[in-house]
Each structure stands twice: as structure tokens, then as C-alpha cells.
Amino acid sequence: MDVTIEESWKAKLNAEFEKPYFKELIEFVKQEYRTHTVYPPGKLIFNAFDSCPFDACKVVILGQDPYHGPGQANGLCFSVNDGIPKPPSLLNIFKELKDDVGTPIPVSGNLERWAQQGVLLLNATLTVRAGEAGSHQKKGWETFTDAVIERINEEKEGIVFLLWGKYAQEKGKIIDKTRHHILEAKHPSPMAAKWGGWFGSKHFSQTNTYLRKLGKPEIVW
């Protein structure tokens, strides 16, 4: 099955593309795009992979669903397109980033600059129907993204996994803690952050401290 995705990821995931569940998933997704408004645009479904090749990956941030509002989703978890107002979770990410490493809150919520430095911004589900959060869950995307995590877990070492919230932490249970560095915190959404456990987590500085120990370039957040 020919899937348009960055070549290094294509080589790692080719076997997955041939599995029955993935073929059924693709048929479902194609039908959804034909009959509904679906986000992100079709060409950006695999943007997380296209922006961060397998060999370049140093950090993984796990999200859940793409944003389901007009013009928001760009295929990178927590990220929005240039010119789109920052959703509350992303604004809280930037607030913590400023408190942690002093980075000013950027004008744009587009996180492509992180991806281009080796941060895989991976949602568990890669598509969503407009205005219907979670509408493409349990259709096969979670199985596919589990396989992505397994490839990283088994074939790389020293990856920093940032697991924000219970959903990401459950999905990350397959990660070998003896091979990789796992940082967990509450989800940055306003409701979760309100009860503590997000602000003050200092994941951005901790990530760079770990990368520095391994002799890898730090992320310019």
C-alpha cells in the first residue's frame, strides 16, 4: 500500500501499512474526507513524520486528537497554524516554557520549529471530523500510533518522552524506561493545570539537560 509519508518513516512502517486494520482505516478516512469536513487537510495527516524524520527524532510529545476548529490543526500535536489564536492548552505550554527557560511567549502557535529540531509531535489519532472531538477515535489510528511508539522504543535509545496527562501516560506504558527518558506531568489544559502538576513541571529544561548529557544538541524551545 503506497502511503505518502517521509521516506525514513515509510521504511520503518511499511509492514504496518499492509495490515488489514490499516487498510480499513484508510478507507474510513477517505470516506470521511469525501463526505464531511475533516481536519487537518489531507496533505498534513502525516505532517508530524514529514517534519521530523526517524533518525532525527530526539524527543516525543504525545497528544490525543487534532484540533477540530477551522484552520487550527496542522498535523502536529498542540500546534496551530500561523495566525490562528492559541488554544488554552497551548497557551499554558508557552506559559510554563517562559517560566522554565525564559523563552518569551511566541506570536505564533505553530510548533514546526520544534519538529524541525527533532521533536516528534504525535497525536494518538491523526484525523478528526470538524466540530466533533474524538470522532475518529477507535478506528485504527491508535493501533498505528502504538506501532510508531514501539518502533522508536525498540530501534532508538535515549529518546525523551514527554507524557502530559493520563491518556498520554497510559499510551506510553510500552516504553522501556531503561532505554529512554520519560517525563510525566498533568495535562496543560486549563482544568487539569488548575489543580496543579503542570506549572512548575520544568520539562523543557529537563529535556535539554538530558540531551546535553548524551552529547545531543539541545532544543531551542
Side-chain angles (χ1 to χ4, degrees), residues 3-217:
V3 175
T4 305
I5 190 171
E6 192 274 333
E7 285 302 316
S8 64
W9 284 108
K10 190 170 190 174
K12 298 296 180 185
L13 298 168
N14 249 336
E16 214 62 28
F17 300 146
E18 298 302 324
K19 292 181 179 178
Y21 89 85
F22 192 84
K23 294 180 179 181
E24 291 172 13
L25 169 64
I26 291 303
E27 285 309 308
F28 164 77
V29 170
K30 285 179 177 176
Q31 180 63 16
E32 285 286 289
Y33 274 91
R34 280 194 292 266
T35 56
H36 298 87
T37 300
V38 176
Y39 302 125
K43 65 181 181 181
L44 295 178
I45 292 174
F46 294 112
N47 192 27
F49 305 94
D50 296 338
S51 301
C52 179
F54 185 84
D55 291 340
C57 179
K58 300 183 290 190
V59 180
V60 178
I61 299 177
L62 290 181
Q64 192 165 353
D65 261 12
Y67 295 120
H68 53 83
Q72 291 180 305
N74 63 7
L76 308 175
C77 73
F78 294 106
S79 174
V80 292
N81 287 310
D82 295 330
I84 297 294
K86 303 175 191 72
S89 292
L90 181 58
L91 192 54
N92 281 345
I93 289 170
F94 286 151
K95 286 177 181 176
E96 170 60 19
L97 179 59
K98 183 180 180 183
D99 290 345
D100 185 10
V101 298
T103 300
I105 293 175
V107 173
S108 174
N110 194 331
L111 300 180
E112 283 184 358
R113 62 191 179 280
W114 293 5
Q116 289 163 0
Q117 296 177 76
V119 182
L120 181 68
L121 295 158
L122 181 66
N123 275 317
T125 303
L126 300 189
T127 54
V128 68
R129 195 183 287 183
E132 297 184 38
S135 50
H136 286 188
Q137 291 177 2
K138 297 182 173 60
K139 302 295 183 182
W141 278 130
E142 296 92 339
T143 303
F144 173 71
T145 50
D146 279 349
V148 172
I149 295 168
E150 285 171 5
R151 296 294 186 286
I152 297 170
N153 180 52
E154 292 167 4
E155 298 187 32
K156 296 181 77 72
E157 285 190 34
I159 300 297
V160 183
F161 286 88
L162 304 183
L163 307 180
W164 299 338
K166 197 172 290 184
Y167 183 89
Q169 288 156 20
E170 283 294 317
K171 194 170 179 70
K173 281 186 174 178
I174 61 174
I175 301 161
D176 184 347
K177 293 181 180 180
T178 67
R179 291 169 60 87
H180 304 286
H181 191 57
I182 298 173
L183 296 173
E184 297 185 348
K186 289 284 184 68
H187 195 277
S189 67
M191 186 61 71
K194 176 183 175 184
W195 298 107
W198 167 251
F199 292 114
S201 55
K202 298 191 179 299
H203 279 189
F204 304 103
S205 59
Q206 288 185 64
T207 295
N208 278 346
T209 297
Y210 183 76
L211 293 174
R212 193 162 57 245
K213 283 181 182 175
L214 296 182
K216 296 180 181 180

